[in-house]
């Protein structure tokens, strides 16, 4: 009778039979067939090309301001391509899983909240569940603007005083 075997651990196969394979890298499979009477053999190959998963992050760069409610968060979105599992297994800020109060925090859905480390750029990273592929984006965190005015609190009618404006991390 006729018989066939596929290498790469797939095993025996009958003529017209099918086998399911799930390679994680591009793999060439070789079918070796044999016939006992009259004796003979043949081989054939098939290559299964596996796409390499990749991650993209949007936006690729952003700004945030520490401690200003409407400006201290940035929503990042990660997209996994080339894989059946398109989940993100982790978000990082400056290589810290989930970040911290200094560099800022990021949720499992990619919502970044600015931390106390201001005047610098922080790196946001998303990692794919499929194969650990990752990509990065950046966020620059501005310090909270501050300002104050000082003056003599009481003046005579018709008198004047000097008002001194002091501010930082912004402009007047």
């Amino acid at each position: 009778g006729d018989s066939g075997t596929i290498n790469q651990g797939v095993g025996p196969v009958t003529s017209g039979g099918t086998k399911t394979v799930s390679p994680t890298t591009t793999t060439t499979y070789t079918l070796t067939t044999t016939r006992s009477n009259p004796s003979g053999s043949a081989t054939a190959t098939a290559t299964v090309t596996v796409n390499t998963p990749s991650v993209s992050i949007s936006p690729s760069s952003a700004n945030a301001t520490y401690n200003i409610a409407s400006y201290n968060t940035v929503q990042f979105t990660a997209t996994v391509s080339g894989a059946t599992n398109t989940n993100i297994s982790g978000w990082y800020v400056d290589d810290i899983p989930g970040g911290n109060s200094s560099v800022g925090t990021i949720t499992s859905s990619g919502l970044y909240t600015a931390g106390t480390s201001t005047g610098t750029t922080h790196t946001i990273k998303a990692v794919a569940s499929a194969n650990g592929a990752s990509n990065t984006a950046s966020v620059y965190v501005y310090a909270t603007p501050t300002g104050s005015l000082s003056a003599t609190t009481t003046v005579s009618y018709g008198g004047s005083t000097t008002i001194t404006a002091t501010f930082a991390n912004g402009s007047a």
Side-chain angles (χ1 to χ4, degrees), residues 26-78:
T26 298
T27 304
T28 299
Y29 296 92
T30 302
L31 166 68
T32 303
T33 61
T34 57
R35 185 181 60 220
S36 57
N37 190 11
S39 80
S41 66
T43 60
T45 61
T47 300
V48 177
T49 302
V50 177
N51 291 327
T52 302
S54 62
V55 177
S56 61
I57 300 178
S58 178
S60 59
S61 65
N63 295 321
T65 301
Y66 174 67
N67 211 25
I68 301 291
S70 52
Y71 300 102
N72 71 337
T73 61
V74 177
Q75 179 64 60
F76 288 95
T77 303

Side-chain angles (χ1 to χ4, degrees), residues 5-148:
T5 302
I6 301 174
N7 71 344
Q8 304 288 0
V10 176
V13 63
T14 58
S15 180
T18 61
K19 293 286 186 170
T20 300
V21 295
S22 299
T24 56
T25 60
T26 298
T27 304
T28 299
Y29 296 92
T30 302
L31 166 68
T32 303
T33 61
T34 57
R35 185 181 60 220
S36 57
N37 190 11
S39 80
S41 66
T43 60
T45 61
T47 300
V48 177
T49 302
V50 177
N51 291 327
T52 302
S54 62
V55 177
S56 61
I57 300 178
S58 178
S60 59
S61 65
N63 295 321
T65 301
Y66 174 67
N67 211 25
I68 301 291
S70 52
Y71 300 102
N72 71 337
T73 61
V74 177
Q75 179 64 60
F76 288 95
T77 303
T79 304
V80 178
S81 303
T84 55
N85 179 348
T86 58
N87 294 328
I88 295 295
S89 63
W91 286 91
Y92 298 77
V93 182
D94 293 346
D95 287 325
I96 300 167
N100 61 32
S101 62
S102 175
V103 299
T105 58
I106 193 160
T107 66
S108 60
S109 61
L111 182 64
Y112 173 81
T113 301
T116 58
S117 176
T118 61
T120 189
T121 300
H122 298 287
T123 301
I124 305 299
K125 180 168 69 172
V127 178
S129 297
N131 70 336
S134 66
N135 205 341
T136 60
S138 63
V139 60
Y140 183 86
V141 178
Y142 290 92
T144 306
T146 59
S148 65

